[in-house]
């Protein structure tokens, strides 16, 4: 199925969604996500009716987005209609709901997923992307979790680690574009810092602040993605950076290292560099080694390969990729970047194009498409 046919179907599919009640902008966004899904799946499994397939997938994306927006607006409305009763409290019930939803009878991964869906306002697709599993698998996991706790008293709060994971994933989703989610995650984590003496809670808050400090520089005109190395560092929020570093230093002094503290240390090293070329990549690799010991995460392995490529050269980075699953999201993009730095421009251009086809968002796809075009331009005599 070629891309031209897909593009020709777009106006008709948008029209169907609008007639079903979607506003034009939301319909357009949903169809763009459906197009990405089509480019991923149709080469191996082409549908009998391309238009009907696009309508079905786009409508599901629209409904997921609408539910997430309704959940967010519901929380805002609840705050707006709360009758004044004196000074505003320092905390609200949201954290309590997080702990209650993360029921101790559930496996941690299921508790996190259910809390994200029921309280965090994330869609099933967003949660599945965070966990690197198919959307249908995550939907089943959430359904099983709901059935398991149906009828059980919610007087046994879940553990702190589960709630930290929820807050981390909510922030990550917000950092990718939803400012309300990011701000809410920071607000709730501040509350949690005030309620507990655990250094990992402080580490998570430091991580959020250090990343949030760069938010204004992450996108250009029209939502265009700006990579870290190309960001205008004068736009970074130095107040948030200073607060994040202070909180991190106090947490690390407790000598009870956890994954959020290690991630925050990496973010602090990026924030400390006055320019991309002054980044202390050797120390960043050391922190990734610590983080890998703590988590064993394949995503950490992938990110570590980039850091190794910066610290020891692109060939070393490519060698580090040997331990990374090539099915990981952004594997092709990382490989393209390292091959480009190693001088393999033709292969890099092919990999950037491959990565763009596997992108999970329109801004990311457009960025990778531009990278492929830029490298191809370098190949011209």
């Amino acid at each position: 199925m070629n891309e031209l046919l897909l593009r020709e179907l777009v106006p008709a599919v948008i029209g169907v969604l609008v007639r079903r009640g979607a506003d034009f902008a939301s319909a357009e966004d949903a169809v763009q996500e459906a197009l990405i899904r089509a480019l991923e799946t149709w080469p191996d499994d082409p549908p009998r009716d391309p238009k009907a397939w696009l309508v079905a997938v786009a409508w599901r994306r629209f409904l997921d987005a609408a539910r997430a927006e309704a959940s967010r607006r519901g929380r805002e409305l609840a705050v707006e209609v709360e009758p004044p009763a004196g000074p505003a409290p320092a905390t609200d019930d949201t954290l309590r709901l997080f702990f209650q939803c993360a029921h101790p009878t559930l496996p941690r991964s299921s508790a996190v997923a259910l809390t994200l869906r029921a309280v965090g306002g994330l869609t099933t697709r967003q949660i599945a992307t965070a966990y690197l599993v198919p959307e249908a698998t995550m939907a089943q996991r959430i359904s099983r979790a709901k059935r398991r706790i149906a009828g059980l008293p919610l007087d046994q709060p879940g553990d702190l680690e589960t709630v930290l994971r929820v807050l981390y994933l909510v922030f990550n989703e917000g950092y990718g574009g939803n400012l309300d989610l990011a701000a809410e995650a920071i607000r709730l984590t501040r509350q949690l810092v005030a309620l507990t003496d655990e250094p990992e809670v402080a580490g998570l808050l430091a991580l959020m602040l250090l990343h949030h400090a760069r938010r204004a520089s992450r996108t250009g005109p029209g939502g265009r993605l700006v990579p870290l190395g190309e960001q205008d560092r004068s736009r970074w929020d130095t107040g948030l950076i200073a607060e994040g570093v202070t909180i991190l230093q106090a947490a690390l002094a407790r000598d009870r290292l956890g994954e959020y503290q290690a991630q925050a240390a990496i973010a602090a090293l990026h924030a400390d560099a006055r320019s991309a070329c002054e980044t202390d990549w050797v120390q960043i690799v050391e922190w990734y080694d610590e983080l890998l010991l703590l988590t064993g995460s394949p995503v950490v392995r992938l990110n570590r390969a980039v850091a190794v490529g910066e610290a020891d050269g692109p060939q070393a980075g490519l060698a580090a990729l040997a331990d990374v699953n090539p099915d990981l999201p952004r594997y092709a993009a990382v490989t393209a970047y390292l091959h480009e730095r190693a001088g393999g421009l033709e292969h890099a251009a092919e990999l950037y194009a491959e990565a763009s086809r596997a992108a999970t968002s329109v801004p990311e796809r457009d960025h990778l498409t531009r990278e492929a075009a830029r490298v191809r331009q370098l190949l011209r005599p």
Side-chain angles (χ1 to χ4, degrees):
M1 190 67 63
N2 60 50
E3 293 188 28
L4 178 60
L5 174 59
L6 282 173
R7 295 297 175 187
E8 290 175 348
L9 289 171
V10 166
V13 176
I14 290 176
V16 172
L17 266 62
V18 170
R19 288 193 293 275
R20 289 186 179 183
D23 63 273
F24 185 83
S26 298
E28 192 173 38
D29 289 343
V31 172
Q32 287 297 323
E33 292 192 26
L35 287 176
I36 293 174
R37 183 65 177 159
L39 290 171
E40 294 172 350
T41 61
W42 285 14
D44 298 323
D45 185 22
R48 293 180 181 177
D49 186 338
K51 179 181 175 182
W53 189 98
L54 284 172
V55 168
V57 173
W59 184 246
R60 284 199 298 271
R61 298 292 184 261
F62 167 74
L63 291 177
D64 276 346
R67 290 189 191 102
E69 179 65 12
S71 176
R72 183 184 66 80
R73 291 186 181 277
R75 291 195 298 273
E76 292 177 349
L77 182 60
V79 172
E80 292 173 3
V81 301
E82 184 76 21
T91 60
D92 56 27
D93 286 339
T94 309
L95 266 182
R96 179 177 60 80
L97 291 172
F98 273 42
F99 276 98
Q100 287 182 335
C101 199
H103 202 275
T105 62
L106 294 173
R108 178 164 293 151
S109 60
S110 296
V112 171
L114 179 60
T115 308
L116 286 169
R117 188 73 183 93
V119 187
L122 271 63
T123 66
T124 302
R125 180 169 183 257
Q126 289 169 328
I127 301 167
T129 300
Y131 272 90
L132 306 179
V133 300
E135 185 175 350
T137 300
M138 183 53 66
Q140 292 171 359
R141 183 180 299 177
I142 293 171
S143 296
R144 285 195 299 268
K146 289 178 180 179
R147 291 195 298 270
R148 186 163 180 173
I149 65 171
L152 293 178
L154 297 179
D155 56 357
Q156 302 178 59
D159 67 4
L160 179 62
E161 188 172 340
T162 299
V163 173
L164 288 181
R165 178 61 57 182
V166 170
L167 291 170
Y168 173 75
L169 293 175
V170 169
F171 177 81
N172 279 354
E173 191 60 38
Y175 187 67
N178 189 325
L179 181 60
D180 289 343
L181 284 177
E184 176 70 353
I186 292 173
R187 183 184 74 86
L188 293 172
T189 307
R190 286 189 187 280
Q191 289 184 10
L192 201 52
V193 166
L195 295 172
T196 181
D197 194 35
E198 287 293 325
E200 265 294 77
V201 181
L204 178 57
L205 178 59
L207 174 62
M208 291 178 176
L209 295 176
L210 289 164
H211 279 304
H212 206 57
R214 303 200 302 258
R215 185 181 184 91
S217 64
R218 289 185 67 246
T219 55
R224 180 176 182 145
L225 288 184
V226 181
L228 176 60
E230 300 174 18
Q231 289 175 14
D232 179 358
R233 299 184 180 219
S234 68
R235 300 184 67 196
W236 289 4
D237 189 325
T238 54
L240 286 181
I241 290 173
E243 182 185 5
V245 169
T246 300
I247 292 170
L248 174 62
Q249 288 173 336
L252 292 174
R254 305 282 298 279
D255 199 23
R256 288 161 54 193
L257 184 65
E259 62 172 298
Y260 302 120
Q261 295 169 73
Q263 288 190 58
I266 293 168
L269 286 167
H270 283 298
D272 187 54
R274 289 176 297 179
S275 65
C277 63
E278 295 178 69
T279 305
D280 189 346
W281 286 106
V282 172
Q283 198 173 163
I284 287 175
V285 171
E286 292 173 355
W287 276 111
Y288 270 121
D289 289 340
E290 294 282 356
L291 188 55
L292 197 54
L293 287 173
L294 289 165
T295 67
S297 164
V299 175
V300 171
R301 286 187 189 278
L302 183 65
N303 292 336
R304 179 185 177 277
V306 176
V308 169
E310 299 289 353
D312 300 325
Q315 293 298 342
L318 289 168
L321 281 177
D323 297 327
V324 180
N325 184 348
D327 293 332
L328 274 180
R330 300 184 178 88
Y331 177 92
V334 168
T335 310
Y337 173 73
L338 293 171
H339 274 290
E340 180 188 353
R341 290 198 60 228
L345 298 185
E346 187 170 350
H347 190 34
E350 293 171 356
L351 287 167
Y352 277 129
E354 177 187 333
S356 72
R357 291 191 292 270
T360 57
S361 71
V362 174
E364 182 183 6
R365 182 200 64 195
D366 291 347
H367 168 70
L368 292 168
T369 301
R370 287 192 298 270
E371 291 296 281
R374 176 184 61 78
V375 174
R376 287 194 185 104
Q377 186 68 32
L378 295 175
L379 288 166
R380 294 180 180 175

